[in-house]
Amino acid sequence: MRGILAASLLGLSLTVSGLAQAEPVKIGVITTLSGGGAGLGVDMRDAFTLAMKQSGNTDVELIVEDDAQKPELAVQIAEKMIQSDKVDLMTGIIWSNLAMAVVPNTVAQDVIYLSPNAGPSALAGANCNKNYFNVAYQNDNFHEAMGQYANKDYKKTFILAPNYPAGKDSLTGFKRYYKGELAGELYTQVGQTDYAAEIAQIRASGADSVFFFLPGGMGIAFMKQYAQSGVGIPVLGPSFSFSQDVLPAIGDAALGVKNSASWSHDLDNEANKKFVEAFQAEYKRLPSIYAAQSWDTANLILSAMSKASVKDKDAFRAALKAADFQSVRGEFTFNTNNHPIQNIYVREVVKEGDVLTNKIIGTAFEKHGDAYAEQCKM
Amino acid sequence: MSAALLIEQLLNGLQLGVMLFLIAAGLTLIFGVMGLINLAHGSLYMIGAFACAAVAAATGSFWIGLAASLAAAAAAGALMEVVIVRRLYERDHLDQVLATFALILILSEGTRWIFGSFPLYLDIPPLLQGAVPLPGGGQYQLYRLAIIGVGIVVAIGLYLLISRTRLGMRIRAGETDREMIAALGVDIRTLYTVVFALGAALAGLAGAMVGALQSVQVGMGEPALILAFVVIVIGGIGSIKGALVGAVLVGIVDTMGRFLLPKLLALALPASQANMVGAALASMLIYIVMAMILAFKPRGLFAGHG
């Protein structure tokens, strides 16, 4: 499962390379390509390599490795990439617990890390770092948006999430904006596949709505069992359990569910149209939000490369922070803690033809930052 | 907390236990008869789920998918036994663990090659959708009741097979004295393949039934395998009766722990903290129970021969 993808081989044109005197940039990509979470990592990797390929930039070398969703393995790969491959930049990690294991040690060694997905709160506040850029979101963001959205219709929400850093950030984020009463609050096990016990409690709680954050296979299991149980109370969630990688497996049970995200494939801007078209043409499937964030990460890197040499760290960091690229999410800037300021939308799961997908139905927040930026002294 | 909720949770525990029994029965049978630790048993469970999802998607019928899952898992099991596992009986447990661990990796990546990295769709059949009323005003999902029913039928079937049939007699003889039964002229090689395929088919059946409840994806077998090992260690390795008792015990302890521990802790702690600590404790509970049982009965509740 280890592969060295030299992007330089992909760009065939030798003619262009004479123009810029750019240093070659080595990028280490650690992501989940095997095991239950592989769908997310595959989308991440595919979008990233496609963006690099489309740019025609021949000065990028990608080193892609599989972390199998195991923190200890991710740490080993990161050490290897820093010590022996001597990468200039690192990116790719999907899961917050893996990011917590890898990022602090990586940025301490003056390697720049760009997160295409995970945004644990512990890295956004007092422990922020000039070498850590989060191109996706701070973990709380989408959940905050759902808390805000729930205020409109619901007074008594039952909330649940897995017992790990992103799960705790999730419920914290939801509660930060939600004004109603909680019918119940539950932490489930990471990787749990049977939710009968939790669903029985939801039924008995008298809740008027359910908010849950269960990424990957956990969300598929929960949604199917929830639909089968016939509880029937409206479901809310962040986009992770309703993104393009899992919708086909949930099936019609997901129809009509409202979920929050910074991106959707129908978001109306030039960069996004180009991205969705290119991704579909190359891989014959709709991109997920993981692919969108990863596409943005690649384009952010490319924009910085055109402005500064990666060997001049200060200049390169400044070029990254300027975020001078066409984001598929529309307007995108970095906050003081190197986390995004962006719009968060509410989407609804719909059927286009016989493909389940999301459609934007509203905006929960405009130019939304995160709650931890103030604590960041950079 | 109402009586209906309590009954519902007990049924949930029983259903989880029955599911675990289907996986653990094959695992313990294979260990009891052949003395083999088969880590790849979870992969057979995964094969059952994928076969059911793929065939159900192609034919539109869950029932044909279910039959396909039994056939596919049994065939995969038989093939595995003849090609690889057969060479491992005479070797020590470390070699068996290494070889069958390699099989997990091969089967997982092989499945990914064929079906891709994204989870497949499988839903419960229309016949079993809906719920039945419970005493006390609650409801219980029909499909989960059906799983409990299947588990009970399999448990009775296995009991009859082992205690009443010629095949069962040979299995028991194989458990007691492998060399002697071979010396008496029983075709032990075929017997082993049949037992292996039977265990595999049960795991495949479990995979197909669970596949309709959760996501059918690569790597789904390993968490189930770990629980199945807990079950057979509690029940006594090699004992089918032990597997049944152990499975129901693990299912009920796990479900009730998840349900009741946060509520108990909430009496002493603030709600948010009680939920977090309760969830963490609940995830450890079955291992604590296993440790306690092993402290008093080091060979499990119903230690077999061997």
Side-chain angles (χ1 to χ4, degrees):
Chain A
M1 256 299 150
R2 71 174 25 199
I4 297 185
L5 269 175
S8 49
L9 293 176
L10 299 172
L12 293 166
S13 53
L14 284 163
T15 49
V16 191
S17 63
L19 293 174
Q21 194 63 46
E23 294 265 1
V25 175
K26 239 185 200 185
I27 305 175
V29 180
I30 307 175
T31 198
T32 305
L33 301 172
S34 63
L40 290 66
V42 167
D43 253 19
M44 187 274 143
R45 178 200 60 191
D46 286 355
F48 198 87
T49 48
L50 182 62
M52 288 298 172
K53 185 174 143 186
Q54 292 232 323
S55 74
N57 196 317
T58 52
D59 298 322
V60 178
E61 187 188 337
L62 295 186
I63 302 170
V64 181
E65 299 240 14
D66 172 23
D67 60 34
Q69 210 180 332
K70 294 195 172 85
E72 65 279 9
L73 190 58
V75 169
Q76 285 170 22
I77 296 169
E79 272 313 299
K80 194 211 87 181
M81 283 181 170
I82 296 169
Q83 300 299 338
S84 67
D85 297 328
K86 308 238 178 288
V87 295
D88 300 300
L89 309 169
M90 273 170 50
T91 183
I93 295 174
I94 298 289
W95 309 91
S96 286
N97 51 340
L98 273 71
M100 286 306 296
V102 168
V103 172
N105 197 29
T106 301
V107 294
Q109 298 182 60
D110 213 23
V111 173
I112 296 173
Y113 181 84
L114 299 106
S115 176
N117 192 52
S121 54
L123 298 176
N127 291 322
C128 64
N129 191 292
K130 62 179 181 180
N131 287 321
Y132 172 64
F133 288 84
N134 190 308
V135 198
Y137 50 75
Q138 196 282 314
N139 277 354
D140 303 11
N141 289 159
F142 293 6
H143 316 286
E144 291 170 342
M146 241 34 232
Q148 174 84 337
Y149 180 80
N151 286 331
K152 201 161 63 105
D153 297 319
Y154 307 116
K155 303 257 166 325
K156 207 174 169 206
T157 305
F158 194 105
I159 60 176
L160 69 155
N163 200 1
Y164 83 122
K168 289 169 194 163
D169 286 351
S170 158
L171 298 192
T172 310
F174 183 85
K175 288 190 281 186
R176 188 172 290 135
Y177 283 84
Y178 178 62
K179 296 194 187 74
E181 182 197 341
L182 291 181
E185 179 179 357
L186 273 184
Y187 285 101
T188 60
Q189 292 167 32
V190 175
Q192 187 172 326
T193 51
D194 196 282
Y195 293 91
E198 286 75 13
I199 290 168
Q201 292 183 66
I202 293 172
R203 192 201 304 274
S205 72
D208 64 3
S209 54
V210 180
F211 168 83
F212 77 98
F213 163 59
L214 294 164
M218 293 184 273
I220 300 173
F222 177 83
M223 264 321 283
K224 282 169 80 171
Q225 291 165 29
Y226 184 80
Q228 291 159 3
S229 73
V231 173
I233 308 164
V235 174
L236 306 167
S239 61
F240 310 110
S241 298
F242 303 97
S243 72
Q244 210 57 51
D245 54 313
V246 294
L247 276 179
I250 301 175
D252 289 349
L255 268 180
V257 174
K258 311 283 191 300
N259 61 95
S260 54
S262 57
W263 173 87
S264 176
H265 78 96
D266 61 339
L267 194 59
D268 192 14
N269 66 59
E270 269 313 303
N272 193 37
K273 275 183 201 142
K274 204 180 125 215
F275 160 61
V276 174
E277 232 167 69
F279 192 92
Q280 271 191 300
E282 182 82 12
Y283 302 114
K284 315 281 175 269
R285 60 175 196 268
L286 277 174
S288 66
I289 187 164
Y290 309 103
Q293 291 167 167
S294 164
W295 177 272
D296 272 358
T297 307
N299 281 308
L300 172 66
I301 293 172
L302 288 165
S303 76
M305 278 170 62
S306 70
K307 284 186 179 176
S309 160
V310 76
K311 302 297 173 211
D312 180 357
K313 295 265 160 149
D314 280 328
F316 197 80
R317 278 191 291 260
L320 283 173
K321 189 133 185 174
D324 190 10
F325 71 107
Q326 293 296 312
S327 169
V328 297
R329 287 169 271 175
E331 210 170 318
F332 179 101
T333 50
F334 276 119
N335 205 341
T336 48
N337 59 349
N338 291 351
H339 281 61
I341 298 179
Q342 60 186 344
N343 292 355
I344 314 276
Y345 303 97
V346 178
R347 319 185 299 180
E348 182 177 344
V349 180
V350 294
K351 224 170 191 180
E352 287 178 1
D354 52 358
V355 179
L356 284 165
T357 187
N358 283 284
K359 193 180 80 181
I360 292 183
I361 57 163
T363 309
F365 291 123
E366 284 189 12
K367 295 189 186 159
H368 186 62
D370 61 84
Y372 305 95
E374 288 169 14
Q375 298 160 30
C376 169
K377 303 273 179 287
M378 201 144 45
Chain B
M1 184 176 42
S2 67
L5 181 60
L6 203 62
I7 294 173
E8 188 177 350
Q9 297 291 31
L10 278 172
L11 281 172
N12 283 332
L14 185 61
Q15 181 257 314
L16 179 61
V18 157
M19 222 55 246
L20 288 174
F21 168 67
L22 289 182
I23 309 169
L27 200 60
T28 206
L29 195 63
I30 289 166
F31 186 87
V33 178
M34 286 95 111
L36 175 91
I37 298 177
N38 181 22
L39 290 187
H41 201 69
S43 301
L44 296 164
Y45 167 85
M46 174 185 74
I47 287 172
F50 270 89
C52 186
V55 171
T59 63
S61 160
F62 175 83
W63 303 107
I64 300 176
L66 196 65
S69 74
L70 280 170
L79 190 71
M80 218 155 104
E81 203 276 340
V82 171
V83 177
I84 295 161
V85 170
R86 182 170 282 183
R87 292 157 227 288
L88 300 171
Y89 297 138
E90 299 306 317
R91 316 192 56 158
D92 65 18
H93 286 326
L94 181 63
D95 289 355
Q96 296 173 351
V97 166
L98 279 175
T100 51
F101 183 69
L103 273 175
I104 294 184
L105 300 179
I106 293 167
L107 289 170
S108 288
E109 289 315 305
T111 311
R112 188 191 309 287
W113 266 1
I114 301 172
F115 294 99
S117 297
F118 298 96
L120 298 191
Y121 174 77
L122 178 65
D123 199 8
I124 54 180
L127 184 66
L128 295 175
Q129 268 159 8
V132 288
L134 286 180
Q139 299 196 331
Y140 200 67
Q141 210 187 319
L142 187 58
Y143 184 73
R144 288 184 188 267
L145 272 185
I147 292 181
I148 296 175
V150 169
I152 292 169
V153 169
V154 168
I156 294 171
L158 273 179
Y159 169 77
L160 292 177
L161 176 82
I162 287 173
S163 62
R164 298 287 160 82
T165 64
R166 181 164 286 271
L167 176 65
M169 203 157 65
R170 287 181 177 162
I171 290 175
R172 278 180 287 144
E175 278 180 338
T176 316
D177 196 329
R178 216 168 301 167
E179 285 78 20
M180 188 55 84
I181 172 173
L184 287 173
V186 173
D187 182 358
I188 193 104
R189 294 188 127 209
T190 314
L191 176 69
Y192 283 180
T193 310
V194 168
V195 168
F196 204 92
L198 176 67
L202 290 177
L205 175 68
M209 288 197 300
V210 165
L213 288 174
Q214 43 160 280
S215 88
V216 177
Q217 60 183 10
V218 173
M220 64 185 283
E222 280 64 64
L225 179 78
I226 293 172
L227 283 179
F229 268 112
V230 172
V231 164
I232 67 170
V233 168
I234 288 179
I237 297 176
S239 160
I240 299 271
K241 188 163 75 174
L244 181 61
V245 174
V248 172
L249 188 69
V250 166
I252 288 180
V253 165
D254 186 55
T255 305
M256 296 318 260
R258 268 153 55 201
F259 170 50
L260 293 176
L261 269 179
K263 289 198 190 320
L264 278 178
L265 286 169
L267 300 176
L269 293 168
S272 195
Q273 221 178 335
N275 286 328
M276 223 180 281
V277 177
L281 273 181
S283 64
M284 290 183 243
L285 196 60
I286 55 168
Y287 302 100
I288 296 171
V289 169
M290 177 172 82
M292 278 178 357
I293 288 175
L294 291 186
F296 293 102
K297 291 211 149 202
R299 297 181 61 204
L301 293 173
F302 300 91
H305 322 271

